[in-house]
Amino acid sequence: MVLPLPSHLLLFLFLFLNFLHLHVASIITTHYLKLPLLHVKPFTSPSQALSFDSDRLSALYARRHRQTLKLPLVSGASSGAGQYFVDLRIGTPPQKLLLVADTGSDLVWVKCSSCRNCSAHPPGSVFLARHSVTFSPIHCFNPGCRLVPHSSKLHRRCNRARHHSPCWYEYQYSDGSLTSGIFSTETASLNTSAGKENAFKGLAFGCGFNVSGPSLSGPSFNGSSGVMGLGRGPISFSGQLGRRFGPFGNKFSYCLLDYTLSPPPTSYLMIGAFGNYKMTSTPLITNPLLRTFYYISIKSVLIDGMKLPIRPSVWALDKLGNGGTIIDSGTTLTFLPEPAYRIILTAFRRRVNLPQLPEPTPGFDLCVNVGNDSRPSLPKMSFLLAGDSVFAPPPSNYFIDTAEAVKCLALQAVSSPSGFAVVGNLMQQGFLFEFDNDRSRLRFSRKVCSQL
């Protein structure tokens, strides 16, 4: 009888094998990957974006009830609003694909086709596996196969003795959308900060031959060919490539700039250590039931410098994995626990000096008439985080335009007691965020973002 490996040994073995096979055509010590992020805003109104954000949170919350550490079951592609996309070139010769950049999932996966005559597929719409000489399915008995979700029906067919017995994965969303295919490895061609292209062999990814359902065909996924998982797991894009750059371990960063400007500035995703900048830091918290997500600890909230009377337990992550706060790239607005939200909303209503609309934009609780003022004076909100760090975004990160001369408070309440708070990508605009997995810390700075 063969006993299964403990999960910590399984992770170590996968990382060790990945270290042996994932390498760069040339040795890199001081450079990092710098990938442009394309922002796509597929919704016609803030109310529609709110609806899709709410659906995404429902999908994320569903993960809390799954106690396995091996199944990344929800992606930011699922009903997300205002996604950020990144180009990935994989295969030999390289094929260019547009992927959703998602901190809420681990798996990297792309739409695939095994066609020989592929004239029906426009360039960039799917990965043509037969057209790449470096495409290599992972064997079903490879330790890495146990780190992806799979169909039990397909997994029972695994034959250890057979050379051609691939690792079949099945990745299902809460609304019934599904991607399934072969967990594989490929060569990725990526540009470094030095402006040189490097080939990375052995990038583990899901080759999705079956992709179906509304989450993967709706407006939030329109134009993309898969998901670039940036979660905390070893099979995420950052987990696989973060250690290849610099001596400072597994980390990645991004800087999301204001996409409402014309022309919009370029936002960037950086993989690896990119500089020794002075930044504020706060610990990253681990939730044993949801190891993919990036949790932070909020201690208190201030409006115009006044600390609000919110009980610390409102923000706490309990022993059952409930509560807490995550940083998420796939959610637009920011969602807060109901008790905290009500106190914050009351404080804003008292402090705002502009006319409040008696009938706010649908889906929002506080909207003001700013008239012709392009830079209206609005109350300032800040968050005191663990480690005595302060996150103080400008009002433009939490008041959004919903109509001409109308701005609404872009905060929402989380009513489920088992739900968690989410700091969305709008609240993150203008800051550089560095996710340091080895040190379990999140660093951030508004000044550094403007220097990139």
Side-chain angles (χ1 to χ4, degrees):
M1 179 179 179
V2 180
L3 296 176
L5 286 173
S7 58
H8 68 283
L9 292 180
L10 176 66
L11 293 175
F12 173 79
L13 182 57
F14 178 75
L15 288 170
F16 177 72
L17 293 174
N18 214 36
F19 175 78
L20 293 179
H21 292 287
L22 183 64
H23 56 278
V24 185
S26 59
I27 297 176
I28 301 174
T29 56
T30 59
H31 302 309
Y32 55 92
L33 294 181
K34 187 175 183 180
L35 310 176
L37 288 170
L38 170 66
H39 181 268
V40 176
K41 188 178 181 182
F43 305 112
T44 58
S45 70
S47 296
Q48 187 185 16
L50 171 59
S51 175
F52 276 81
D53 265 357
S54 299
D55 288 344
R56 169 171 169 79
L57 257 67
S58 296
L60 293 178
Y61 293 158
R63 293 195 57 192
R64 193 189 65 82
H65 302 292
R66 302 181 182 274
Q67 298 188 17
T68 173
L69 306 182
K70 300 178 290 185
L71 306 182
L73 296 177
V74 177
S75 159
S78 176
S79 302
Q83 301 283 8
Y84 284 87
F85 293 77
V86 62
D87 282 323
L88 179 65
R89 300 171 69 238
I90 61 172
T92 307
Q95 301 176 39
K96 184 178 179 180
L97 301 169
L98 189 67
L99 307 184
V100 176
D102 180 29
T103 58
S105 64
D106 291 330
L107 183 67
V108 180
W109 69 267
V110 301
K111 297 177 182 178
C112 280
S113 173
S114 58
C115 61
R116 295 184 184 275
N117 180 6
C118 304
S119 57
H121 298 292
S125 60
V126 297
F127 176 66
L128 308 176
R130 291 183 184 272
H131 290 206
S132 173
V133 299
T134 48
F135 176 74
S136 178
I138 291 175
H139 195 276
C140 57
F141 269 89
N142 184 296
C145 189
R146 295 177 61 187
L147 298 176
V148 294
H150 54 78
S151 166
S152 57
K153 181 179 179 180
L154 290 173
H155 199 66
R156 281 198 298 267
R157 300 178 187 176
C158 183
N159 187 325
R160 186 169 191 170
R162 289 182 57 189
H163 179 68
H164 298 291
S165 192
C167 174
W168 290 92
Y169 78 93
E170 184 176 279
Y171 195 99
Q172 190 166 4
Y173 298 87
S174 60
D175 66 351
S177 297
L178 178 143
T179 171
S180 62
I182 300 176
F183 195 43
S184 313
T185 62
E186 253 297 3
T187 295
S189 300
L190 300 164
N191 292 325
T192 70
S193 56
K196 297 180 179 180
E197 181 176 276
N198 287 269
F200 298 85
K201 299 179 180 179
L203 177 70
F205 77 108
C207 194
F209 292 104
N210 177 27
V211 178
S212 61
S215 291
L216 307 184
S217 58
S220 68
F221 208 73
N222 188 29
S224 65
S225 300
V227 173
M228 178 182 284
L230 295 169
R232 301 186 74 174
I235 61 172
S236 73
F237 187 79
S238 52
Q240 294 186 64
L241 294 181
R243 301 178 187 280
R244 304 306 302 170
F245 296 89
F248 303 109
N250 176 15
K251 62 178 65 176
F252 74 96
S253 314
Y254 58 63
C255 184
L256 307 179
L257 299 177
D258 188 352
Y259 54 78
T260 64
L261 298 178
S262 183
T266 302
S267 298
Y268 287 100
L269 167 68
M270 284 80 68
I271 306 293
F274 69 95
N276 189 23
Y277 294 99
K278 184 178 180 180
M279 294 192 286
T280 303
S281 71
T282 189
L284 286 172
I285 310 300
T286 299
N287 183 346
L289 297 183
L290 290 172
R291 291 182 179 271
T292 292
F293 296 155
Y294 294 93
Y295 281 85
I296 59 173
S297 178
I298 296 177
K299 297 300 183 182
S300 58
V301 178
L302 295 84
I303 304 294
D304 286 339
M306 298 293 293
K307 182 179 177 181
L308 302 183
I310 302 173
R311 292 178 289 106
S313 60
V314 169
W315 305 107
L317 176 65
D318 67 25
K319 295 180 180 179
L320 298 178
N322 300 317
T325 304
I326 70 168
I327 299 284
D328 184 40
S329 66
T331 305
T332 300
L333 306 183
T334 289
F335 290 74
L336 303 174
E338 178 85 27
Y341 173 76
R342 292 300 166 191
I343 294 173
I344 292 171
L345 177 62
T346 299
F348 270 113
R349 283 173 170 165
R350 290 175 177 172
R351 301 289 300 183
V352 72
N353 293 321
L354 295 169
Q356 299 182 30
L357 273 62
E359 295 185 6
T361 301
F364 297 89
D365 291 325
L366 174 61
C367 297
V368 297
N369 189 331
V370 299
N372 296 323
D373 193 346
S374 60
R375 301 186 67 179
S377 177
L378 294 164
K380 294 180 174 58
M381 177 173 61
S382 57
F383 299 87
L384 178 63
L385 308 178
D388 293 327
S389 60
V390 177
F391 175 50
S396 59
N397 285 24
Y398 45 88
F399 275 95
I400 60 172
D401 297 321
T402 61
E404 186 175 354
V406 174
K407 287 184 180 291
C408 294
L409 182 64
L411 303 177
Q412 296 292 318
V414 174
S415 56
S416 171
S418 63
F420 42 75
V422 179
V423 178
N425 59 46
L426 180 63
M427 190 71 78
Q428 301 173 45
Q429 276 190 176
F431 286 80
L432 175 79
F433 284 92
E434 179 189 81
F435 299 79
D436 188 337
N437 284 305
D438 282 352
R439 294 176 176 82
S440 291
R441 69 180 182 183
L442 175 73
R443 298 204 304 160
F444 56 92
S445 171
R446 194 175 179 187
K447 293 182 179 179
V448 175
C449 196
S450 62
Q451 298 173 11
L452 297 177

